[in-house]
């Protein structure tokens, strides 16, 4: 059942992210995230425990695009383990690998694969690239 909800959840986040790029207010916060990312120093900071990332605008973007949708998803489907999984990712790992140009695992969407997204309209997916492949927004390194 985890696999089913995981796929459904990543499908929802993929489309929220992709549509978010087209919605003016959301995209203004989201493009702040695209422009303000610490590409050189990859670090973990204690405020990540409160799902705070980079700066205020980038954090608002994170909550609009991921935190609140994941909370609603977990509530609607009664699968809180998805939210717990997301929290563990966002609180401990995201800042270290999502924008780490030295991180490069083709089956995961973090690191160099995600950094392509910051410069071009490809690679929207979180965690796994399956929805980018299906909806033709996948770009290889
Ligand atoms: Zn984006
Ligand atoms: Zn990013």
């Amino acid at each position: 059942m985890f696999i089913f909800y995981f796929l459904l959840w990543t499908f929802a986040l993929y489309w929220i992210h992709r549509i978010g790029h087209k919605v003016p207010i959301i995209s203004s916060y989201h493009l702040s995230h695209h422009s303000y990312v610490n590409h050189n120093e990859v670090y973990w900071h204690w405020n990540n425990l409160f799902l705070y990332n980079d700066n205020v605008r980038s954090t608002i973007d994170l909550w609009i695009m991921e935190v609140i949708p994941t909370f609603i998803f977990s509530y609607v489907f009664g699968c809180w383990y998805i939210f717990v999984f997301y929290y563990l990712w966002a609180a401990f790992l995201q800042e270290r690998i999502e924008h780490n140009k030295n991180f490069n695992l083709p089956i995961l969407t973090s690191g160099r694969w995600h950094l392509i997204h910051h410069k071009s309209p490809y690679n929207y997916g979180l965690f796994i690239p399956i929805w980018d492949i299906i909806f033709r927004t996948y770009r290889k390194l």
Side-chain angles (χ1 to χ4, degrees), residues 2-130:
F2 177 81
I3 302 274
F4 172 76
Y5 284 121
F6 181 81
L7 287 173
L8 194 62
W9 172 57
T10 54
F11 172 84
L13 288 186
Y14 170 88
W15 280 106
I16 288 166
H17 184 183
R18 199 163 158 189
I19 293 165
H21 268 253
K22 305 276 183 218
V23 178
I25 297 165
I26 295 174
S27 76
S28 94
Y29 285 101
H30 186 62
L31 294 178
S32 294
H33 162 81
H34 277 221
S35 62
Y36 182 87
V37 166
N38 202 331
H39 291 274
N40 299 318
E41 293 167 56
V42 175
Y43 62 92
W44 179 85
H45 194 269
W46 63 267
N47 61 23
N48 295 164
L49 295 173
F50 300 98
L51 306 184
Y52 182 96
N53 269 10
D54 293 329
N55 60 16
V56 172
R57 291 184 66 84
S58 204
T59 300
I60 291 170
D61 167 60
L62 183 77
W63 280 66
I64 292 172
M65 291 289 209
E66 297 179 8
V67 178
I68 292 168
T70 301
F71 188 88
I72 293 170
F73 182 92
S74 299
Y75 176 78
V76 168
F77 292 103
C79 51
W80 289 103
Y81 52 83
I82 291 285
F83 192 81
V84 171
F85 176 84
Y86 174 76
Y87 177 81
L88 293 174
W89 151 257
F92 297 102
L93 289 173
Q94 190 166 25
E95 290 267 51
R96 291 187 225 204
I97 64 172
E98 189 170 45
H99 301 102
N100 183 340
K101 59 184 179 340
N102 298 316
F103 186 89
N104 185 23
L105 264 186
I107 54 159
L108 296 176
T109 62
S110 277
R112 278 162 56 187
W113 192 89
H114 175 74
L115 289 171
I116 290 172
H117 172 69
H118 278 236
K119 294 185 222 114
S120 59
Y122 299 97
N123 299 359
Y124 290 87
L126 192 66
F127 296 115
I128 50 170
I130 180 173

